[in-house]
């Protein structure tokens, strides 16, 4: 169906273009939309992650990759797993800083709101309930943007699948 150009309007019917297609033709396309809705292609909304605003500053970095991981979002910078954003129930509601244990003391001294995660103590955890969550999280993201060497771990190599045969 062609596009409708509105250059002049019919004075007797405001908003209606002169020479426009009759309404039945205009609504014929909606039948196709209805089929798309039934197939689930239209009408589904994708939920916005509550911490999306935190990783958005990293999107300018050409090495930035965001991947789903265990119900959260894993941020990779320069090929290293750097930050993990999770919005589940405690202790999975906040941001995890993926780092080597050798950097814990330095990061804990700079960010007293951090603590070793109760289940993954190799990573530091910033709970959403921390007093200065937003400011601390933004500062940690800024460190990731600057490629601070204390942040990030090398992801384990992918296991090779054995070929069936």
């Amino acid at each position: 169906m062609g596009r409708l150009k509105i250059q002049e309007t019919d004075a007797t019917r405001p908003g209606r273009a002169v020479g426009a297609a009759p309404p039945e033709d205009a609504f014929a396309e909606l039948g196709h939309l209805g089929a798309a809705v039934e197939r689930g292609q239209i009408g589904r909304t994708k939920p916005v992650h509550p911490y999306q605003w935190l990783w958005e500053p990293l999107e300018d970095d050409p090495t930035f990759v965001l991947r789903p991981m265990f119900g959260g979002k894993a941020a990779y910078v320069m090929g290293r797993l750097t930050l993990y954003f999770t919005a589940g129930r405690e202790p999975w509601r906040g941001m995890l800083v993926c780092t080597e244990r050798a950097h814990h003391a330095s990061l804990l001294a700079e960010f007293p709101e951090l603590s070793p995660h109760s289940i993954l103590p190799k990573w530091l955890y910033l709970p959403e309930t921390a007093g200065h969550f937003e400011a601390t999280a933004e500062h940690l993201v800024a460190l990731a943007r600057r490629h601070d060497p204390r942040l990030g771990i090398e992801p384990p190599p992918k296991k090779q699948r054995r070929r069936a045969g």
Side-chain angles (χ1 to χ4, degrees), residues 96 99-101 104 115-125:
L96 278 86
T99 185
E100 301 293 336
R101 289 183 193 262
H104 281 207
S115 61
H117 191 266
S118 62
I119 297 172
L120 291 174
K122 63 183 178 180
W123 292 351
L124 299 176
Y125 179 53

Side-chain angles (χ1 to χ4, degrees), residues 51-74:
Y51 304 128
Q52 179 177 342
W53 61 275
L54 284 169
W55 69 69
E56 284 175 343
L58 295 170
E59 291 174 348
D60 293 338
D61 187 317
T63 67
F64 171 73
V65 176
L66 185 70
R67 293 192 178 126
M69 185 172 89
F70 306 120
K73 298 290 185 177

Side-chain angles (χ1 to χ4, degrees), residues 13 97 108 125:
R13 297 172 69 186
V97 179
L108 289 169
Y125 179 53

Side-chain angles (χ1 to χ4, degrees), residues 34-113:
V37 169
E38 287 175 14
R39 288 192 304 268
Q41 295 171 324
I42 298 176
R44 288 184 295 169
T45 57
K46 201 172 191 178
V48 175
H49 195 284
Y51 304 128
Q52 179 177 342
W53 61 275
L54 284 169
W55 69 69
E56 284 175 343
L58 295 170
E59 291 174 348
D60 293 338
D61 187 317
T63 67
F64 171 73
V65 176
L66 185 70
R67 293 192 178 126
M69 185 172 89
F70 306 120
K73 298 290 185 177
Y76 292 80
V77 179
M78 298 202 47
R80 296 167 53 94
L81 174 58
T82 306
L83 301 169
Y84 178 70
F85 305 94
T86 178
R89 289 190 215 126
E90 280 299 329
W92 300 105
R93 186 160 196 86
M95 185 169 85
L96 278 86
V97 179
C98 309
T99 185
E100 301 293 336
R101 289 183 193 262
H103 301 299
H104 281 207
S106 168
L107 289 167
L108 289 169
E110 188 172 346
F111 303 99
E113 296 87 359

